[in-house]
Amino acid sequence: MKNILEVRNLNKSYKHFSLQDISFSLPEGCITGFIGVNGAGKTTTLKTILGLTSKDSGEIRFFDMNMDTEERHIKERLGVVFDSGGFYAELTLQEMKALVASSYRSWDEKEFRRYLERFSLNPRQKINTLSKGMRMKYALALALSHQADFLVMDEPTSGLDPLIRRQLLDILREYMERGGRGVFFSTHITSDLDQLADMLVLIDHGKIVFQEEKDSLLERYRIVKGDVQDLSDAVLPLLYNLSRTAFGFTAVTDQAGEIQKAMPGAFLERASIEDIMLCRIEGGDTYAASAD
């Protein structure tokens, strides 16, 4: 399987934050969720790999082309949707579209009109009159109307109601039906990724913590509940985010088999993506941090 995106040793420093040796690769045919708490570096990473912010060092390749030397060819094949939109608020949808379409040789006006109709968007309406959900639909219509092979999306469902979020996720599923495509989907709403993602990349404090298949992660991690008296020195190192109360304890583990051997009476249940994320970020990866 070919990689659509390869990032190698990417570094970008600001006064109070930096991306540190960011490396990951995204295969075609996958929807990849890019997760992390607010301020972890998701948006900075996306802007840097897209060339919207200059990098200090590292290599970025899309479709096996180097972003430093073939940026124009690469961006012809990318669709980009940012939470902030980046539109001129006083323009109409039609006027903004004219500016965007002029940048793409493969612009498909018929496809754009089809999305406007599907989303019930009026091309004569001004952008500053759109709700957040309608702005996101408009941004997606623009991104999908020039035969993009790869979508990069930053928090596209943030602040949207459940119905519009579901509609957007359905569109992404449709988009992926044609082979050779991919989606890189930054979000802190991890429930969307439960339904949609094939792969997950976790970033924390500007560093990549892991890149793994979603189903593999969900199969490995479990919520553990049991009696505090069963917490031995042998068991504690197997637990993340340990919380004790008068009624027992709750924790997360990726060693379910060992826990069952050591604590036959413990109750194990499936962990969510959010549970996994929180136990792997800084402050959540040792039992001592939450054991007091």
Side-chain angles (χ1 to χ4, degrees):
M1 186 180 296
K2 295 180 180 179
N3 287 328
I4 286 185
L5 170 64
E6 296 180 41
V7 180
R8 301 171 185 164
N9 301 316
L10 177 65
N11 290 276
K12 173 65 180 179
S13 294
Y14 294 98
K15 185 176 181 180
H16 299 295
F17 178 81
S18 62
L19 298 178
Q20 304 167 57
D21 290 322
I22 298 290
S23 295
F24 59 88
S25 59
L26 306 184
E28 66 180 26
C30 285
I31 296 179
T32 301
F34 192 33
I35 60 176
V37 298
N38 290 336
K42 300 188 298 297
T43 298
T44 301
T45 300
L46 294 185
K47 287 185 175 181
T48 307
I49 66 175
L50 290 170
L52 302 176
T53 299
S54 61
K55 59 183 170 59
D56 295 337
S57 62
E59 184 178 15
I60 302 162
R61 300 185 70 86
F62 288 92
F63 316 109
D64 204 28
M65 294 185 286
N66 193 307
M67 191 63 165
D68 289 338
T69 58
E70 300 180 85
E71 181 174 354
R72 180 177 176 182
H73 295 294
I74 289 171
K75 289 190 172 180
E76 277 279 339
R77 300 174 64 181
L78 300 181
V80 179
V81 177
F82 275 90
D83 179 37
S84 58
F87 303 130
Y88 295 112
E90 292 298 322
L91 296 183
T92 66
L93 275 62
Q94 179 66 23
E95 291 167 340
M96 189 70 221
K97 182 273 303 183
L99 293 177
V100 174
S102 64
S103 302
Y104 297 102
R105 290 171 291 182
S106 56
W107 182 262
D108 188 334
E109 186 66 19
K110 184 177 179 180
E111 186 79 345
F112 176 69
R113 293 288 173 177
R114 185 176 72 84
Y115 278 113
L116 288 189
E117 183 175 345
R118 178 174 181 176
F119 296 153
S120 300
L121 294 170
N122 183 345
R124 294 184 295 276
Q125 188 171 356
K126 285 194 173 185
I127 290 171
N128 61 10
T129 66
L130 298 178
S131 67
K132 183 164 186 177
M134 293 176 73
R135 283 191 185 218
M136 192 55 64
K137 288 181 177 181
Y138 178 59
L140 193 56
L142 293 173
L144 294 174
S145 295
H146 61 91
Q147 301 176 28
D149 293 314
F150 189 51
L151 290 182
V152 179
M153 311 177 76
D154 185 30
E155 300 283 359
T157 61
S158 177
L160 304 185
D161 66 58
L163 177 60
I164 294 178
R165 280 168 51 201
R166 187 177 69 182
Q167 291 172 344
L168 291 177
L169 298 182
D170 287 343
I171 290 166
L172 293 182
R173 291 188 185 96
E174 292 177 17
Y175 170 79
M176 291 297 294
E177 288 177 357
R178 198 188 83 185
R181 290 176 164 180
V183 176
F184 194 28
F185 183 2
S186 160
T187 185
H188 67 275
I189 305 175
T190 54
S191 58
D192 290 340
L193 300 175
D194 277 316
Q195 306 173 51
L196 195 68
D198 303 299
M199 189 87 67
L200 296 174
V201 177
L202 173 61
I203 187 170
D204 185 46
H205 286 77
K207 297 179 181 179
I208 298 298
V209 179
F210 65 66
Q211 174 183 352
E212 294 194 46
E213 291 184 10
K214 180 196 71 180
D215 290 345
S216 175
L217 282 167
L218 293 177
E219 179 66 27
R220 193 164 77 249
Y221 282 85
R222 291 290 183 270
I223 300 292
V224 186
K225 298 179 180 179
D227 193 318
V228 174
Q229 294 181 352
D230 294 331
L231 291 172
S232 66
D233 290 341
V235 168
L236 288 174
L238 306 177
L239 302 176
Y240 299 95
N241 280 8
L242 175 62
S243 174
R244 311 185 210 211
T245 72
F247 302 98
F249 77 87
T250 301
V252 180
T253 186
D254 58 356
Q255 301 289 330
E258 294 301 314
I259 290 293
Q260 287 176 321
K261 291 178 185 177
M263 306 174 64
F267 177 72
L268 279 74
E269 62 185 31
R270 178 187 170 105
S272 68
I273 292 173
E274 183 173 302
D275 293 325
I276 297 168
M277 177 182 77
L278 293 177
C279 84
R280 292 297 307 272
I281 63 176
E282 186 174 310
D285 57 356
T286 60
Y287 72 88
S290 56
D292 294 336

